Amino acid sequence: MSDGAQFRQVSPVRLYQRIVEQIEQAIVRGDLKPGQRLPSERELVTQFGASRPTVREALRVLESDGLVRSRPGDPNGPEILPFSPAGLTKQMTRLVQFDNVSMAELISFRMILDGSASSLAARLRSEEELSVMERTIAVMADAIEAGYEEFGKADVAFHEAVAVAGRNSLIQVCNQVVRGAVLALISDKVAHAHNSATLMRESLRHHQEVLEAIRAGDGLAAARISRRKLYEYYAGYVPENERGPLLALVDDEES
Amino acid sequence: MSDGAQFRQVSPVRLYQRIVEQIEQAIVRGDLKPGQRLPSERELVTQFGASRPTVREALRVLESDGLVRSRPGDPNGPEILPFSPAGLTKQMTRLVQFDNVSMAELISFRMILDGSASSLAARLRSEEELSVMERTIAVMADAIEAGYEEFGKADVAFHEAVAVAGRNSLIQVCNQVVRGAVLALISDKVAHAHNSATLMRESLRHHQEVLEAIRAGDGLAAARISRRKLYEYYAGYVPENERGPLLALVDDEES
DNA sequence: TGAGCTTACTGGTCAGGCCAGTCATAGCGG
DNA sequence: CCGCTATGACTGGCCTGACCAGTAAGCTCA
């Protein structure tokens, strides 16, 4: 068949890439588990039959991908790291900076993710998960006096709990990433503006409403409240003429 | 204030990282635009005051991040690449393989993204965008005889058009990434299974229904149909006892 | 037994070199 | 005059060997 005779573009594979692939696959396969150590650079040199600079290039790439970490003088060699979405966050942040993704799109995306997570949580949550959410909200209430630092942490914990109850770690990770990206863009403005007991109390109330909807198993309401809450919270950072898509999400279930 | 006196953990910054940062920021700032060239390695050595292995480590990291590309013998030096979500895809794929994200979660996420995109598109689409979608559907219809290869391309094009009309490039990119991850997991099974005119015709009909809902401006219907379509298409790849969360999404707007 | 020193490692960095490839250009033949 | 080819000055890919500043384990000595 002619399909099988098609040729793909080739690109020369560098030595260091082969090394990266081997180590990467060993980690993915589970042959190398987090916490375990790689042989020392000089030992890898003999195992791979490449020179030290080449081995080091591979290690630098793996390190930049968040798979391993080298520490000078460590006699045990580079450490295999547990998975972390940090790499995803980095790429996502890059996407935002590069492709000039607007604040509006970012928040729109958060509304979608958070709304979906709440909706799923409303349908799938167990009793224990519900009580975890209640506890995080209690922490939020206590943290109002402690300042935005503490409050923010509890806020994040609540959203994590919702995402967990929604049975979807992708939403969890993406939401985390997008939240990070949003904060990176408005970090200076937000630090003081949100350090207000009034705002925090309002935010707390919104969270409580979401929790109520989740408890009631009302996915639509949970999603709607989540989205509206986010819109009210962040709309101020979006130019007025770009708020259309956001409002479309707020109205989503009502028309 | 005591907040200001808090110390953060420090980690020794390697030389190559400083180089990566500088080049990275130059790209982000726009000082270096895609297509432009970096100085040669030996020139960078003098500019950064580092040795060639160090400069090369930095270049390898940038290359692995998809920011630049080095070609042997190229007298113009490494090329600045246009942004591509390939890095995101790589990280997302890693997330899937590592954190053992299940097929169910992947598809659940696609249903959310695609549904949201359709819903947004229904509310925000312009007439031109509508006609673009119509054209891609026409291409799909024509491609049924040409085999799944062509059909798949047109399929992707339709979803792209919807995402564009939804005014959210994040959805676009994420959807693309997740679709890639799904295909990577089931590529072998899907190649022949989907190469069936019956399946393609059914898929085409589903797409037409989505388009109708978008044309009518009915966001809810567009989202519901999108999700249902994806569920029917992919449910076979998900173990039965994991389909609960997916069904929760299908029923989402009906209860 | 415990505190301090020695030593054998580790990774970080450098200098310099060889090779194969690419490309522009100079010089050739037409 | 034009087109082709050969040359040479580059490029990146890779290697060798070396030095340094750390770490940590083991040894010595009080």
Side-chain angles (χ1 to χ4, degrees):
Chain A
M1 61 200 252
S2 68
D3 278 14
Q6 285 193 359
F7 299 122
R8 280 179 306 178
Q9 188 147 10
V10 297
S11 64
V13 178
R14 270 59 108 15
L15 258 189
Y16 86 93
Q17 287 180 326
R18 314 289 287 266
I19 299 180
V20 168
E21 283 171 19
Q22 284 199 42
I23 298 182
E24 209 170 13
Q25 290 190 7
I27 296 178
V28 169
R29 275 200 313 268
D31 293 354
L32 291 172
K33 289 187 177 47
Q36 284 187 3
R37 302 308 187 94
L38 242 38
S40 75
E41 291 184 359
R42 290 171 175 84
E43 173 63 25
L44 289 172
V45 163
T46 74
Q47 288 194 23
F48 284 113
S51 71
R52 196 145 94 94
T54 302
V55 168
R56 282 177 60 80
E57 286 178 16
L59 287 176
R60 292 297 82 82
V61 169
L62 291 168
E63 196 166 358
S64 134
D65 282 351
L67 293 179
V68 305
R69 178 180 45 193
S70 295
R71 229 185 7 141
D74 187 337
N76 295 320
E79 180 183 0
I80 310 289
L81 295 179
F83 175 82
S84 130
L88 250 185
T89 307
K90 198 175 76 175
Q91 290 288 337
M92 184 81 77
T93 308
R94 218 199 295 290
L95 167 67
V96 171
Q97 294 177 327
F98 254 82
D99 233 15
N100 48 29
V101 172
S102 67
M103 193 67 190
E105 288 185 49
L106 230 36
I107 293 175
S108 160
F109 199 49
R110 266 216 69 183
M111 289 169 72
I112 290 169
L113 291 175
D114 227 50
S116 302
S118 301
S119 173
L120 279 172
R123 287 159 199 279
L124 304 170
R125 88 285 185 290
S126 67
E127 285 303 320
E128 298 102 89
E129 287 161 346
L130 212 50
S131 66
V132 168
M133 295 180 213
E134 284 166 5
R135 273 198 294 278
T136 61
I137 283 206
V139 173
M140 285 177 75
D142 291 342
I144 289 185
E145 286 89 24
Y148 185 67
E149 188 84 6
E150 284 303 311
F151 187 80
K153 277 185 198 165
D155 186 348
V156 170
F158 175 76
H159 288 284
E160 296 268 319
V162 171
V164 168
R167 307 279 191 282
N168 197 314
S169 57
L170 283 174
I171 293 184
Q172 203 172 334
V173 170
C174 282
N175 214 343
Q176 187 177 328
V177 166
V178 176
R179 179 168 38 223
V182 170
L183 287 181
L185 284 184
I186 62 174
S187 56
D188 43 342
K189 304 178 195 168
V190 89
H192 296 85
H194 283 189
N195 199 355
S196 133
T198 313
L199 267 176
M200 285 190 264
R201 243 181 291 274
E202 190 178 347
S203 172
L204 176 63
R205 191 173 50 78
H206 277 138
H207 282 76
Q208 283 167 334
E209 287 179 29
V210 174
L211 177 57
E212 275 319 303
I214 291 176
R215 192 200 314 276
D218 188 343
L220 267 64
R224 192 175 56 237
I225 297 172
S226 289
R227 286 195 281 256
R228 180 181 298 279
K229 170 185 80 74
L230 281 169
Y231 177 78
E232 293 177 4
Y233 209 66
Y234 288 112
Y237 300 100
V238 176
E240 284 194 33
N241 58 344
E242 292 179 14
R243 292 182 193 169
L246 302 184
L247 282 170
L249 283 171
V250 171
D251 303 333
D252 208 8
E253 317 294 347
E254 297 173 0
S255 57
Chain B
M1 59 200 248
S2 70
D3 278 15
Q6 284 194 2
F7 298 121
R8 281 180 304 179
Q9 189 147 10
V10 297
S11 64
V13 178
R14 272 58 105 24
L15 260 189
Y16 87 92
Q17 287 180 325
R18 314 289 286 266
I19 299 180
V20 168
E21 284 170 18
Q22 284 199 42
I23 298 181
E24 210 169 12
Q25 290 190 6
I27 297 178
V28 169
R29 274 201 312 269
D31 293 353
L32 290 172
K33 289 187 175 49
Q36 284 187 2
R37 300 310 185 95
L38 241 39
S40 74
E41 292 184 359
R42 289 169 176 86
E43 173 63 24
L44 290 173
V45 164
T46 75
Q47 287 194 23
F48 284 112
S51 71
R52 197 143 95 95
T54 302
V55 168
R56 281 176 62 80
E57 288 179 17
L59 287 176
R60 293 295 83 81
V61 169
L62 290 168
E63 195 165 1
S64 134
D65 281 352
L67 292 179
V68 306
R69 178 180 45 190
S70 294
R71 233 184 5 139
D74 187 335
N76 295 321
E79 181 183 1
I80 310 288
L81 294 179
F83 175 82
S84 130
L88 250 185
T89 307
K90 198 174 75 175
Q91 289 289 336
M92 184 81 79
T93 308
R94 216 198 296 290
L95 168 67
V96 171
Q97 294 178 326
F98 255 83
D99 230 16
N100 47 31
V101 171
S102 67
M103 193 65 190
E105 289 185 48
L106 228 38
I107 292 174
S108 162
F109 200 49
R110 266 216 69 184
M111 288 168 72
I112 290 169
L113 291 175
D114 227 51
S116 302
S118 300
S119 174
L120 279 172
R123 288 159 199 281
L124 303 170
R125 88 286 186 287
S126 68
E127 285 303 319
E128 298 101 274
E129 287 161 345
L130 212 50
S131 68
V132 169
M133 297 179 211
E134 282 166 5
R135 271 198 296 277
T136 62
I137 284 207
V139 173
M140 286 176 74
D142 290 344
I144 288 185
E145 286 89 24
Y148 185 67
E149 188 86 6
E150 284 301 312
F151 188 80
K153 278 185 199 165
D155 186 347
V156 170
F158 175 77
H159 288 284
E160 296 269 319
V162 171
V164 168
R167 307 277 191 282
N168 197 314
S169 56
L170 283 174
I171 293 184
Q172 203 172 334
V173 171
C174 283
N175 213 343
Q176 186 177 330
V177 166
V178 176
R179 179 169 39 224
V182 170
L183 287 181
L185 285 184
I186 62 173
S187 56
D188 42 342
K189 304 178 194 166
V190 89
H192 295 85
H194 285 190
N195 200 353
S196 135
T198 312
L199 268 175
M200 286 190 264
R201 241 181 290 274
E202 190 177 348
S203 171
L204 176 63
R205 191 172 49 76
H206 278 137
H207 282 75
Q208 283 166 334
E209 287 179 30
V210 173
L211 177 58
E212 276 317 303
I214 291 177
R215 191 200 315 275
D218 188 344
L220 267 64
R224 191 175 57 238
I225 298 170
S226 289
R227 287 196 279 256
R228 180 182 298 279
K229 171 185 80 74
L230 281 168
Y231 178 78
E232 292 177 4
Y233 209 66
Y234 288 114
Y237 299 101
V238 176
E240 284 194 33
N241 57 345
E242 293 179 13
R243 291 183 193 168
L246 301 185
L247 283 170
L249 283 171
V250 171
D251 302 334
D252 207 8
E253 318 293 348
E254 295 173 0
S255 56

